[in-house]
Amino acid sequence: MRIYRVPDYSALSRKAADILAAQILMKPDCVLGLATGSTPVGTYRNLAEKYKSGDLDFSHVRSVNLDEYRGIAGDNANSYYYFMNENLFHHVNIHLSNTNIPDGTNPDTDGECIRYESVIRSLGGIDLQLLGLGHNGHIGFNEPADHFPVRTHCVDLADSTIEANKRFFASADEVPRQAYTMGIGTIMKARKVLLLVSGEGKADILRKSLCGPVTPAVPASVLQLHSDVIVIADEAAMAAME
Ligand code: GLP
């Protein structure tokens, strides 16, 4: 595991964009696993700038997103589909037909999980998976549990996640109670993982994830078992590491 300690969020965003850009330059038709949440927003902004300056071409890139709320459609401003369009896809030359996100509106829950897993397989797996870190250690929407869910599945969101994510909604009542997420096994099969962590609110959970026991009670701790992980964390998030 390589850990980059950077001064602040803006340095984190630049470095993460550099690593994603390097992946695209090395393999123009790579499969990027993409994440939502506030942490990668600056990274996406930097990627859009690299595209605008002519340094990066997304025309052959394929993407799969980690997760999506269940029960809201893509045109809902809180859907991750909408988020990806607003924060990245509409600002670069990626073909929307090459982007994939779980379909939150599919009434066939099991069918959607199987479909999404087979989409990832048909692309040949994920070259680089970008991850944020939930306050409770979740990655994607893999919440703390007594086991590591292997494949894409539908989860009941933890109360703390609903609380953390309500800032994007009019009220906590409007946060969907369920979501589709890649499983821990899906994420662990990615050839490379890039974990971004920013802010003092993540310091404790970052230490537990990287230095504590590997346990499904802290889903991100499983990354200790992955052979190619890059962590970029700012000073505030690294505060509990010594
Ligand atoms: C959400 C997403 C995660 C994300 C996490 C952290 O619940 N499902 O993929 O990593 O929250 O979000 P933030 O970056 O806003 O702290």
Side-chain angles (χ1 to χ4, degrees):
M1 182 176 292
R2 182 188 304 276
I3 302 178
Y4 286 111
R5 181 180 190 133
V6 295
D8 53 26
Y9 179 73
S10 113
L12 174 150
S13 302
R14 286 197 308 276
K15 193 167 287 297
D18 283 348
I19 291 170
L20 282 155
Q23 171 66 69
I24 296 168
L25 291 170
M26 301 276 284
K27 185 177 176 187
D29 62 347
C30 63
V31 177
L32 297 180
L34 298 176
T36 54
S38 39
T39 311
V41 169
T43 303
Y44 293 151
R45 203 175 304 125
N46 277 276
L47 283 174
E49 276 163 22
K50 287 177 191 292
Y51 163 69
K52 280 188 199 104
S53 62
D55 291 332
L56 211 50
D57 174 17
F58 287 77
S59 62
H60 298 288
V61 170
R62 285 90 48 82
S63 73
V64 283
N65 261 75
L66 272 172
D67 47 17
E68 176 61 285
Y69 288 115
R70 176 161 182 262
I72 57 178
D75 59 359
N76 183 312
N78 283 306
S79 71
Y80 286 166
Y81 179 92
Y82 194 96
F83 174 101
M84 289 309 301
N85 282 333
E86 289 292 299
N87 285 285
L88 183 65
F89 297 157
H90 286 171
H91 305 285
V92 299
N93 65 335
I94 197 166
H95 296 292
L96 289 180
S97 57
N98 283 338
T99 67
N100 299 278
I101 300 180
D103 177 1
T105 63
N106 189 342
D108 175 5
T109 310
D110 292 345
E112 180 56 22
C113 296
I114 293 166
R115 182 195 73 81
Y116 201 63
E117 202 62 36
S118 75
V119 164
I120 298 169
R121 228 182 2 257
S122 73
L123 293 172
I126 299 164
D127 289 300
L128 173 59
Q129 178 64 56
L130 183 61
L131 294 177
L133 180 64
H135 286 94
N136 60 4
H138 73 222
I139 47 177
F141 268 131
N142 290 278
E143 298 284 29
D146 56 9
H147 68 291
F148 289 116
V150 178
R151 298 199 175 81
T152 299
H153 58 289
C154 182
V155 290
D156 294 329
L157 299 180
D159 290 344
S160 61
T161 300
I162 292 168
E163 196 54 30
N165 289 4
K166 74 175 186 196
R167 65 191 194 275
F168 300 111
F169 294 79
S171 73
D173 287 344
E174 288 187 25
V175 184
R177 267 34 188 178
Q178 291 187 310
Y180 290 107
T181 181
M182 285 184 196
I184 292 290
T186 327
I187 294 169
M188 289 294 279
K189 270 194 267 173
R191 291 182 265 283
K192 191 182 273 294
V193 172
L194 175 58
L195 175 69
L196 308 182
V197 193
S198 172
E200 60 182 339
K202 300 278 178 73
D204 266 353
I205 196 64
L206 178 62
R207 182 182 50 77
K208 284 189 188 137
S209 301
L210 301 189
C211 310
V214 174
T215 165
V218 182
S221 65
V222 76
L223 297 174
Q224 294 178 42
L225 304 180
H226 193 286
S227 59
D228 195 353
V229 178
I230 300 175
V231 180
I232 309 177
D234 59 20
E235 287 291 347
M238 289 293 280
M241 286 291 280
E242 275 92 19

